[in-house]
């Protein structure tokens, strides 16, 4: 559970477009979907565009795992933080990822703390 959550957040932190696309291909199934309060996307191209948009909105910030992931069957949930490197998080949320043969087929994201 920890490995897939770590790989997932690494994809969100990868700013080089080619490396990010490779990370997305490793972590997500081809038709994976990602849904949170701010976006709903499907497939590698849309996931990549969503990650790039988040990076543009929060330049230099990083996603970090907060606590230990847990899960059962083919589901994993984990809390993450987003903020400047080495600083307190500004955004906190949690995701539930549904796995398909070891890769993420769907992510359902929730935002617990967001700036005003």
């Amino acid at each position: 559970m920890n490995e897939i959550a770590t790989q997932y957040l690494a994809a969100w932190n990868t700013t080089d477009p080619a490396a990010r696309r490779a990370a997305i291909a490793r972590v997500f199934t081809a038709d994976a979907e990602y849904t949170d309060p701010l976006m709903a996307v499907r497939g590698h191209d849309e996931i990549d565009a969503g990650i790039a948009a988040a990076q543009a909105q929060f330049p230099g910030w990083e996603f970090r795992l907060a606590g230990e992931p847990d899960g059962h069957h083919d589901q994993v949930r984990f809390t993450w933080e987003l903020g400047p490197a080495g600083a307190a998080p500004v955004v906190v949320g949690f995701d539930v990822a549904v796995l398909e043969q070891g890769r993420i087929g769907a992510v359902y994201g929730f935002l617990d703390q967001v700036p005003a």
Side-chain angles (χ1 to χ4, degrees), residues 8 12 34-41 80 95 107-111:
Y8 167 80
W12 279 86
Y34 175 91
T35 306
D36 73 15
L38 304 176
M39 72 175 164
V41 296
W80 51 263
D95 290 352
V107 175
Y108 305 102
F110 297 84
L111 300 174

Side-chain angles (χ1 to χ4, degrees), residues 9 13 61-66 79-90:
L9 292 177
N13 286 327
W61 288 18
E62 64 181 14
F63 286 90
R64 305 180 283 267
L65 196 56
T79 299
W80 51 263
E81 302 172 336
L82 174 65
V90 178

Side-chain angles (χ1 to χ4, degrees), residues 1-2 4 69-77 96-106:
M1 300 296 166
N2 193 50
I4 194 71
D70 71 341
H72 58 85
H73 297 83
D74 290 326
Q75 302 172 89
V76 58
R77 71 176 178 171
V96 175
V98 179
L99 306 179
E100 296 176 10
Q101 299 177 349
R103 292 168 57 206
I104 296 174

Side-chain angles (χ1 to χ4, degrees), residues 8-25:
Y8 167 80
L9 292 177
W12 279 86
N13 286 327
T14 302
T15 56
D16 176 75
R20 184 176 58 240
R21 289 288 297 187
I24 289 168

